[in-house]
PDB file of all heavy atoms in Angstrom:
ATOM      1  N   GLY T 172       0.820  -1.246  -0.009  1.00 59.00           N
ATOM      2  CA  GLY T 172       0.036   0.010   0.015  1.00 59.00           C
ATOM      3  C   GLY T 172       0.849   1.247  -0.014  1.00 59.00           C
ATOM      4  O   GLY T 172       1.965   1.280   0.418  1.00 59.00           O
ATOM      5  N   VAL T 173       0.261   2.328  -0.512  1.00 55.00           N
ATOM      6  CA  VAL T 173       0.928   3.640  -0.560  1.00 55.00           C
ATOM      7  C   VAL T 173       0.098   4.557   0.271  1.00 55.00           C
ATOM      8  O   VAL T 173      -1.109   4.678   0.138  1.00 55.00           O
ATOM      9  CB  VAL T 173       0.998   4.155  -2.024  1.00 55.00           C
ATOM     10  CG1 VAL T 173       1.592   5.515  -2.064  1.00 55.00           C
ATOM     11  CG2 VAL T 173       1.744   3.207  -2.920  1.00 55.00           C
ATOM     12  N   TYR T 174       0.791   5.275   1.190  1.00 54.00           N
ATOM     13  CA  TYR T 174       0.097   6.173   2.101  1.00 54.00           C
ATOM     14  C   TYR T 174       0.154   7.579   1.605  1.00 54.00           C
ATOM     15  O   TYR T 174       0.975   7.934   0.799  1.00 54.00           O
ATOM     16  CB  TYR T 174       0.767   6.074   3.519  1.00 54.00           C
ATOM     17  CG  TYR T 174       0.592   4.710   4.118  1.00 54.00           C
ATOM     18  CD1 TYR T 174       1.639   3.793   4.015  1.00 54.00           C
ATOM     19  CD2 TYR T 174      -0.602   4.360   4.661  1.00 54.00           C
ATOM     20  CE1 TYR T 174       1.451   2.527   4.551  1.00 54.00           C
ATOM     21  CE2 TYR T 174      -0.782   3.066   5.194  1.00 54.00           C
ATOM     22  CZ  TYR T 174       0.304   2.152   5.164  1.00 54.00           C
ATOM     23  OH  TYR T 174       0.103   0.911   5.661  1.00 54.00           O
ATOM     24  N   GLY T 175      -0.737   8.403   2.077  1.00 54.00           N
ATOM     25  CA  GLY T 175      -0.855   9.754   1.671  1.00 54.00           C
ATOM     26  C   GLY T 175      -2.087  10.029   0.899  1.00 54.00           C
ATOM     27  O   GLY T 175      -2.905   9.097   0.600  1.00 54.00           O
ATOM     28  N   ASP T 176      -2.311  11.270   0.587  1.00 52.00           N
ATOM     29  CA  ASP T 176      -3.568  11.645  -0.125  1.00 52.00           C
ATOM     30  C   ASP T 176      -3.351  11.448  -1.575  1.00 52.00           C
ATOM     31  O   ASP T 176      -2.708  12.271  -2.285  1.00 52.00           O
ATOM     32  CB  ASP T 176      -3.933  13.106   0.168  1.00 52.00           C
ATOM     33  CG  ASP T 176      -5.174  13.578  -0.528  1.00 52.00           C
ATOM     34  OD1 ASP T 176      -5.963  12.664  -0.959  1.00 52.00           O
ATOM     35  OD2 ASP T 176      -5.376  14.752  -0.667  1.00 52.00           O
ATOM     36  N   LEU T 177      -3.829  10.323  -2.087  1.00 59.00           N
ATOM     37  CA  LEU T 177      -3.667  10.044  -3.532  1.00 59.00           C
ATOM     38  C   LEU T 177      -4.995  10.240  -4.282  1.00 59.00           C
ATOM     39  O   LEU T 177      -5.065   9.890  -5.430  1.00 59.00           O
ATOM     40  CB  LEU T 177      -3.217   8.586  -3.722  1.00 59.00           C
ATOM     41  CG  LEU T 177      -1.864   8.257  -3.093  1.00 59.00           C
ATOM     42  CD1 LEU T 177      -1.519   6.835  -3.343  1.00 59.00           C
ATOM     43  CD2 LEU T 177      -0.812   9.140  -3.673  1.00 59.00           C
ATOM     44  N   LYS T 178      -6.005  10.813  -3.640  1.00 71.00           N
ATOM     45  CA  LYS T 178      -7.287  10.992  -4.290  1.00 71.00           C
ATOM     46  C   LYS T 178      -7.455  12.405  -4.678  1.00 71.00           C
ATOM     47  O   LYS T 178      -7.305  13.330  -3.897  1.00 71.00           O
ATOM     48  CB  LYS T 178      -8.383  10.568  -3.330  1.00 71.00           C
ATOM     49  CG  LYS T 178      -9.764  10.647  -3.977  1.00 71.00           C
ATOM     50  CD  LYS T 178     -10.764   9.838  -3.147  1.00 71.00           C
ATOM     51  CE  LYS T 178     -12.173   9.976  -3.597  1.00 71.00           C
ATOM     52  NZ  LYS T 178     -12.462  10.285  -4.907  1.00 71.00           N
ATOM     53  N   GLY T 179      -7.780  12.663  -5.928  1.00 81.00           N
ATOM     54  CA  GLY T 179      -8.126  13.985  -6.398  1.00 81.00           C
ATOM     55  C   GLY T 179      -9.592  14.131  -6.556  1.00 81.00           C
ATOM     56  O   GLY T 179     -10.423  13.230  -6.265  1.00 81.00           O
ATOM     57  N   ASP T 180     -10.038  15.330  -6.966  1.00 88.00           N
ATOM     58  CA  ASP T 180     -11.472  15.622  -7.185  1.00 88.00           C
ATOM     59  C   ASP T 180     -11.939  14.883  -8.477  1.00 88.00           C
ATOM     60  O   ASP T 180     -11.135  14.592  -9.368  1.00 88.00           O
ATOM     61  CB  ASP T 180     -11.672  17.069  -7.390  1.00 88.00           C
ATOM     62  CG  ASP T 180     -11.480  17.874  -6.115  1.00 88.00           C
ATOM     63  OD1 ASP T 180     -11.898  17.358  -5.008  1.00 88.00           O
ATOM     64  OD2 ASP T 180     -10.962  18.993  -6.153  1.00 88.00           O
ATOM     65  N   THR T 181     -13.200  14.581  -8.512  1.00 88.00           N
ATOM     66  CA  THR T 181     -13.790  14.070  -9.772  1.00 88.00           C
ATOM     67  C   THR T 181     -14.664  15.189 -10.359  1.00 88.00           C
ATOM     68  O   THR T 181     -15.340  15.888  -9.579  1.00 88.00           O
ATOM     69  CB  THR T 181     -14.654  12.825  -9.487  1.00 88.00           C
ATOM     70  OG1 THR T 181     -15.733  13.113  -8.576  1.00 88.00           O
ATOM     71  CG2 THR T 181     -13.809  11.692  -8.977  1.00 88.00           C
ATOM     72  N   LEU T 182     -14.671  15.310 -11.642  1.00 93.00           N
ATOM     73  CA  LEU T 182     -15.429  16.367 -12.314  1.00 93.00           C
ATOM     74  C   LEU T 182     -16.359  15.724 -13.301  1.00 93.00           C
ATOM     75  O   LEU T 182     -15.872  15.061 -14.261  1.00 93.00           O
ATOM     76  CB  LEU T 182     -14.515  17.360 -12.995  1.00 93.00           C
ATOM     77  CG  LEU T 182     -15.101  18.450 -13.822  1.00 93.00           C
ATOM     78  CD1 LEU T 182     -16.028  19.335 -12.971  1.00 93.00           C
ATOM     79  CD2 LEU T 182     -14.058  19.276 -14.547  1.00 93.00           C
ATOM     80  N   ASP T 183     -17.619  15.958 -13.227  1.00 94.00           N
ATOM     81  CA  ASP T 183     -18.656  15.541 -14.130  1.00 94.00           C
ATOM     82  C   ASP T 183     -19.396  16.715 -14.689  1.00 94.00           C
ATOM     83  O   ASP T 183     -19.686  17.670 -13.956  1.00 94.00           O
ATOM     84  CB  ASP T 183     -19.660  14.583 -13.459  1.00 94.00           C
ATOM     85  CG  ASP T 183     -18.991  13.342 -12.907  1.00 94.00           C
ATOM     86  OD1 ASP T 183     -18.363  12.581 -13.691  1.00 94.00           O
ATOM     87  OD2 ASP T 183     -19.107  13.100 -11.715  1.00 94.00           O
ATOM     88  N   LEU T 184     -19.617  16.693 -16.021  1.00 94.00           N
ATOM     89  CA  LEU T 184     -20.383  17.790 -16.661  1.00 94.00           C
ATOM     90  C   LEU T 184     -21.649  17.212 -17.267  1.00 94.00           C
ATOM     91  O   LEU T 184     -21.637  16.122 -17.809  1.00 94.00           O
ATOM     92  CB  LEU T 184     -19.564  18.410 -17.804  1.00 94.00           C
ATOM     93  CG  LEU T 184     -18.253  19.030 -17.470  1.00 94.00           C
ATOM     94  CD1 LEU T 184     -17.589  19.555 -18.766  1.00 94.00           C
ATOM     95  CD2 LEU T 184     -18.455  20.157 -16.451  1.00 94.00           C
ATOM     96  N   GLN T 185     -22.703  17.945 -17.174  1.00 96.00           N
ATOM     97  CA  GLN T 185     -23.949  17.689 -17.903  1.00 96.00           C
ATOM     98  C   GLN T 185     -24.236  18.858 -18.732  1.00 96.00           C
ATOM     99  O   GLN T 185     -24.195  20.019 -18.288  1.00 96.00           O
ATOM    100  CB  GLN T 185     -25.071  17.441 -16.880  1.00 96.00           C
ATOM    101  CG  GLN T 185     -26.359  17.006 -17.560  1.00 96.00           C
ATOM    102  CD  GLN T 185     -27.472  16.805 -16.509  1.00 96.00           C
ATOM    103  OE1 GLN T 185     -27.402  17.259 -15.390  1.00 96.00           O
ATOM    104  NE2 GLN T 185     -28.476  16.112 -16.922  1.00 96.00           N
ATOM    105  N   TYR T 186     -24.454  18.608 -20.019  1.00 95.00           N
ATOM    106  CA  TYR T 186     -24.693  19.712 -21.008  1.00 95.00           C
ATOM    107  C   TYR T 186     -25.553  19.166 -22.120  1.00 95.00           C
ATOM    108  O   TYR T 186     -25.892  17.986 -22.181  1.00 95.00           O
ATOM    109  CB  TYR T 186     -23.377  20.252 -21.524  1.00 95.00           C
ATOM    110  CG  TYR T 186     -22.506  19.244 -22.260  1.00 95.00           C
ATOM    111  CD1 TYR T 186     -22.579  19.139 -23.663  1.00 95.00           C
ATOM    112  CD2 TYR T 186     -21.671  18.380 -21.583  1.00 95.00           C
ATOM    113  CE1 TYR T 186     -21.824  18.203 -24.322  1.00 95.00           C
ATOM    114  CE2 TYR T 186     -20.892  17.452 -22.264  1.00 95.00           C
ATOM    115  CZ  TYR T 186     -20.994  17.367 -23.615  1.00 95.00           C
ATOM    116  OH  TYR T 186     -20.228  16.451 -24.294  1.00 95.00           O
ATOM    117  N   ARG T 187     -25.931  20.083 -23.070  1.00 95.00           N
ATOM    118  CA  ARG T 187     -26.715  19.669 -24.203  1.00 95.00           C
ATOM    119  C   ARG T 187     -25.808  19.753 -25.427  1.00 95.00           C
ATOM    120  O   ARG T 187     -24.946  20.646 -25.594  1.00 95.00           O
ATOM    121  CB  ARG T 187     -27.945  20.581 -24.317  1.00 95.00           C
ATOM    122  CG  ARG T 187     -28.888  20.433 -23.154  1.00 95.00           C
ATOM    123  CD  ARG T 187     -30.285  20.956 -23.398  1.00 95.00           C
ATOM    124  NE  ARG T 187     -31.025  20.208 -24.412  1.00 95.00           N
ATOM    125  CZ  ARG T 187     -31.612  19.010 -24.303  1.00 95.00           C
ATOM    126  NH1 ARG T 187     -31.449  18.356 -23.153  1.00 95.00           N
ATOM    127  NH2 ARG T 187     -32.332  18.486 -25.252  1.00 95.00           N
ATOM    128  N   SER T 188     -26.028  18.825 -26.328  1.00 94.00           N
ATOM    129  CA  SER T 188     -25.339  18.829 -27.588  1.00 94.00           C
ATOM    130  C   SER T 188     -26.302  18.257 -28.677  1.00 94.00           C
ATOM    131  O   SER T 188     -26.867  17.187 -28.501  1.00 94.00           O
ATOM    132  CB  SER T 188     -24.097  17.918 -27.502  1.00 94.00           C
ATOM    133  OG  SER T 188     -23.500  17.756 -28.786  1.00 94.00           O
ATOM    134  N   ALA T 189     -26.488  19.031 -29.724  1.00 93.00           N
ATOM    135  CA  ALA T 189     -27.415  18.614 -30.788  1.00 93.00           C
ATOM    136  C   ALA T 189     -28.794  18.264 -30.249  1.00 93.00           C
ATOM    137  O   ALA T 189     -29.391  17.321 -30.711  1.00 93.00           O
ATOM    138  CB  ALA T 189     -26.815  17.483 -31.598  1.00 93.00           C
ATOM    139  N   GLY T 190     -29.246  19.037 -29.235  1.00 92.00           N
ATOM    140  CA  GLY T 190     -30.551  18.847 -28.683  1.00 92.00           C
ATOM    141  C   GLY T 190     -30.655  17.703 -27.679  1.00 92.00           C
ATOM    142  O   GLY T 190     -31.754  17.452 -27.199  1.00 92.00           O
ATOM    143  N   GLN T 191     -29.577  16.994 -27.430  1.00 95.00           N
ATOM    144  CA  GLN T 191     -29.648  15.870 -26.487  1.00 95.00           C
ATOM    145  C   GLN T 191     -28.782  16.144 -25.242  1.00 95.00           C
ATOM    146  O   GLN T 191     -27.754  16.787 -25.328  1.00 95.00           O
ATOM    147  CB  GLN T 191     -29.194  14.617 -27.154  1.00 95.00           C
ATOM    148  CG  GLN T 191     -30.072  14.122 -28.251  1.00 95.00           C
ATOM    149  CD  GLN T 191     -29.669  12.722 -28.756  1.00 95.00           C
ATOM    150  OE1 GLN T 191     -28.673  12.182 -28.342  1.00 95.00           O
ATOM    151  NE2 GLN T 191     -30.451  12.219 -29.665  1.00 95.00           N
ATOM    152  N   ALA T 192     -29.226  15.598 -24.105  1.00 95.00           N
ATOM    153  CA  ALA T 192     -28.463  15.745 -22.830  1.00 95.00           C
ATOM    154  C   ALA T 192     -27.280  14.815 -22.913  1.00 95.00           C
ATOM    155  O   ALA T 192     -27.342  13.682 -23.415  1.00 95.00           O
ATOM    156  CB  ALA T 192     -29.328  15.410 -21.647  1.00 95.00           C
ATOM    157  N   ARG T 193     -26.123  15.296 -22.489  1.00 95.00           N
ATOM    158  CA  ARG T 193     -24.888  14.514 -22.449  1.00 95.00           C
ATOM    159  C   ARG T 193     -24.260  14.579 -21.056  1.00 95.00           C
ATOM    160  O   ARG T 193     -24.412  15.656 -20.361  1.00 95.00           O
ATOM    161  CB  ARG T 193     -23.904  15.036 -23.451  1.00 95.00           C
ATOM    162  CG  ARG T 193     -24.447  15.143 -24.831  1.00 95.00           C
ATOM    163  CD  ARG T 193     -23.725  14.245 -25.754  1.00 95.00           C
ATOM    164  NE  ARG T 193     -24.203  14.509 -27.120  1.00 95.00           N
ATOM    165  CZ  ARG T 193     -24.501  13.515 -27.929  1.00 95.00           C
ATOM    166  NH1 ARG T 193     -24.414  12.308 -27.570  1.00 95.00           N
ATOM    167  NH2 ARG T 193     -24.942  13.786 -29.115  1.00 95.00           N
ATOM    168  N   VAL T 194     -23.574  13.561 -20.634  1.00 95.00           N
ATOM    169  CA  VAL T 194     -22.858  13.578 -19.387  1.00 95.00           C
ATOM    170  C   VAL T 194     -21.426  13.135 -19.681  1.00 95.00           C
ATOM    171  O   VAL T 194     -21.194  12.156 -20.455  1.00 95.00           O
ATOM    172  CB  VAL T 194     -23.488  12.593 -18.344  1.00 95.00           C
ATOM    173  CG1 VAL T 194     -22.685  12.519 -17.069  1.00 95.00           C
ATOM    174  CG2 VAL T 194     -24.925  13.017 -18.046  1.00 95.00           C
ATOM    175  N   LEU T 195     -20.491  13.841 -19.111  1.00 93.00           N
ATOM    176  CA  LEU T 195     -19.075  13.603 -19.386  1.00 93.00           C
ATOM    177  C   LEU T 195     -18.322  13.600 -18.103  1.00 93.00           C
ATOM    178  O   LEU T 195     -18.470  14.564 -17.327  1.00 93.00           O
ATOM    179  CB  LEU T 195     -18.523  14.656 -20.352  1.00 93.00           C
ATOM    180  CG  LEU T 195     -17.074  14.548 -20.716  1.00 93.00           C
ATOM    181  CD1 LEU T 195     -16.724  13.312 -21.486  1.00 93.00           C
ATOM    182  CD2 LEU T 195     -16.702  15.841 -21.526  1.00 93.00           C
ATOM    183  N   THR T 196     -17.494  12.650 -17.844  1.00 91.00           N
ATOM    184  CA  THR T 196     -16.540  12.669 -16.680  1.00 91.00           C
ATOM    185  C   THR T 196     -15.162  13.070 -17.221  1.00 91.00           C
ATOM    186  O   THR T 196     -14.683  12.460 -18.179  1.00 91.00           O
ATOM    187  CB  THR T 196     -16.457  11.268 -16.002  1.00 91.00           C
ATOM    188  OG1 THR T 196     -17.729  10.953 -15.514  1.00 91.00           O
ATOM    189  CG2 THR T 196     -15.453  11.272 -14.880  1.00 91.00           C
ATOM    190  N   ILE T 197     -14.585  14.097 -16.607  1.00 87.00           N
ATOM    191  CA  ILE T 197     -13.298  14.631 -17.044  1.00 87.00           C
ATOM    192  C   ILE T 197     -12.269  14.231 -16.041  1.00 87.00           C
ATOM    193  O   ILE T 197     -12.353  14.582 -14.858  1.00 87.00           O
ATOM    194  CB  ILE T 197     -13.350  16.181 -17.178  1.00 87.00           C
ATOM    195  CG1 ILE T 197     -14.415  16.542 -18.263  1.00 87.00           C
ATOM    196  CG2 ILE T 197     -11.965  16.699 -17.548  1.00 87.00           C
ATOM    197  CD1 ILE T 197     -14.620  17.992 -18.418  1.00 87.00           C
ATOM    198  N   PRO T 198     -11.236  13.481 -16.509  1.00 81.00           N
ATOM    199  CA  PRO T 198     -10.142  13.109 -15.576  1.00 81.00           C
ATOM    200  C   PRO T 198      -9.279  14.334 -15.277  1.00 81.00           C
ATOM    201  O   PRO T 198      -8.899  15.055 -16.203  1.00 81.00           O
ATOM    202  CB  PRO T 198      -9.405  12.047 -16.325  1.00 81.00           C
ATOM    203  CG  PRO T 198      -9.708  12.290 -17.762  1.00 81.00           C
ATOM    204  CD  PRO T 198     -11.056  12.924 -17.832  1.00 81.00           C
ATOM    205  N   LEU T 199      -8.968  14.512 -14.022  1.00 83.00           N
ATOM    206  CA  LEU T 199      -8.128  15.641 -13.627  1.00 83.00           C
ATOM    207  C   LEU T 199      -6.761  15.045 -13.209  1.00 83.00           C
ATOM    208  O   LEU T 199      -6.700  14.308 -12.312  1.00 83.00           O
ATOM    209  CB  LEU T 199      -8.686  16.356 -12.425  1.00 83.00           C
ATOM    210  CG  LEU T 199     -10.087  16.977 -12.631  1.00 83.00           C
ATOM    211  CD1 LEU T 199     -10.635  17.581 -11.347  1.00 83.00           C
ATOM    212  CD2 LEU T 199     -10.065  18.052 -13.756  1.00 83.00           C
ATOM    213  N   THR T 200      -5.751  15.372 -14.007  1.00 71.00           N
ATOM    214  CA  THR T 200      -4.419  14.894 -13.725  1.00 71.00           C
ATOM    215  C   THR T 200      -3.435  16.042 -13.656  1.00 71.00           C
ATOM    216  O   THR T 200      -3.675  17.076 -14.319  1.00 71.00           O
ATOM    217  CB  THR T 200      -3.952  13.878 -14.797  1.00 71.00           C
ATOM    218  OG1 THR T 200      -4.017  14.470 -16.087  1.00 71.00           O
ATOM    219  CG2 THR T 200      -4.800  12.585 -14.772  1.00 71.00           C
ATOM    220  N   PRO T 201      -2.384  15.890 -12.905  1.00 64.00           N
ATOM    221  CA  PRO T 201      -1.425  17.018 -12.807  1.00 64.00           C
ATOM    222  C   PRO T 201      -0.679  17.286 -14.094  1.00 64.00           C
ATOM    223  O   PRO T 201      -0.514  16.430 -14.895  1.00 64.00           O
ATOM    224  CB  PRO T 201      -0.415  16.559 -11.714  1.00 64.00           C
ATOM    225  CG  PRO T 201      -0.915  15.235 -11.230  1.00 64.00           C
ATOM    226  CD  PRO T 201      -2.023  14.775 -12.092  1.00 64.00           C
ATOM    227  N   GLU T 202      -0.238  18.506 -14.234  1.00 57.00           N
ATOM    228  CA  GLU T 202       0.535  18.902 -15.361  1.00 57.00           C
ATOM    229  C   GLU T 202       1.838  18.119 -15.378  1.00 57.00           C
ATOM    230  O   GLU T 202       2.444  17.845 -14.371  1.00 57.00           O
ATOM    231  CB  GLU T 202       0.862  20.418 -15.245  1.00 57.00           C
ATOM    232  CG  GLU T 202       1.357  21.039 -16.458  1.00 57.00           C
ATOM    233  CD  GLU T 202       1.415  22.550 -16.299  1.00 57.00           C
ATOM    234  OE1 GLU T 202       1.948  23.021 -15.310  1.00 57.00           O
ATOM    235  OE2 GLU T 202       0.816  23.223 -17.140  1.00 57.00           O
ATOM    236  N   GLY T 203       2.252  17.688 -16.573  1.00 40.00           N
ATOM    237  CA  GLY T 203       3.460  16.941 -16.652  1.00 40.00           C
ATOM    238  C   GLY T 203       3.262  15.409 -16.600  1.00 40.00           C
ATOM    239  O   GLY T 203       4.136  14.655 -16.922  1.00 40.00           O
ATOM    240  N   GLU T 204       2.086  14.962 -16.118  1.00 38.00           N
ATOM    241  CA  GLU T 204       1.808  13.555 -16.095  1.00 38.00           C
ATOM    242  C   GLU T 204       0.416  13.320 -16.698  1.00 38.00           C
ATOM    243  O   GLU T 204      -0.532  13.042 -16.041  1.00 38.00           O
ATOM    244  CB  GLU T 204       1.862  12.962 -14.715  1.00 38.00           C
ATOM    245  CG  GLU T 204       1.760  11.432 -14.679  1.00 38.00           C
ATOM    246  CD  GLU T 204       1.948  10.904 -13.296  1.00 38.00           C
ATOM    247  OE1 GLU T 204       3.077  10.932 -12.790  1.00 38.00           O
ATOM    248  OE2 GLU T 204       0.983  10.380 -12.732  1.00 38.00           O
ATOM    249  N   GLY T 205       0.253  13.664 -17.966  1.00 35.00           N
ATOM    250  CA  GLY T 205      -1.062  13.615 -18.599  1.00 35.00           C
ATOM    251  C   GLY T 205      -1.933  14.777 -18.168  1.00 35.00           C
ATOM    252  O   GLY T 205      -3.141  14.600 -18.031  1.00 35.00           O
ATOM    253  N   GLY T 206      -1.345  15.959 -17.888  1.00 37.00           N
ATOM    254  CA  GLY T 206      -2.066  17.046 -17.287  1.00 37.00           C
ATOM    255  C   GLY T 206      -3.034  17.779 -18.179  1.00 37.00           C
ATOM    256  O   GLY T 206      -3.625  18.773 -17.809  1.00 37.00           O
TER     257      GLY T 206
END
């Protein structure tokens, strides 16, 4: 196991596109490692 705070926030968006509702989860990663 690895100790420490390894959990970041989760970001979900709900929006409309072409008249339909969409839901998207956006991964939040630090700059320099897939940021």
Side-chain angles (χ1 to χ4, degrees):
V173 178
Y174 297 98
D176 181 18
L177 297 180
K178 183 163 175 24
D180 291 322
T181 59
L182 175 62
D183 299 300
L184 299 179
Q185 183 180 19
Y186 61 95
R187 296 199 64 75
S188 173
Q191 294 188 356
R193 307 244 186 226
V194 176
L195 177 66
T196 298
I197 298 177
L199 301 175
T200 57
E202 195 170 51
E204 190 175 289

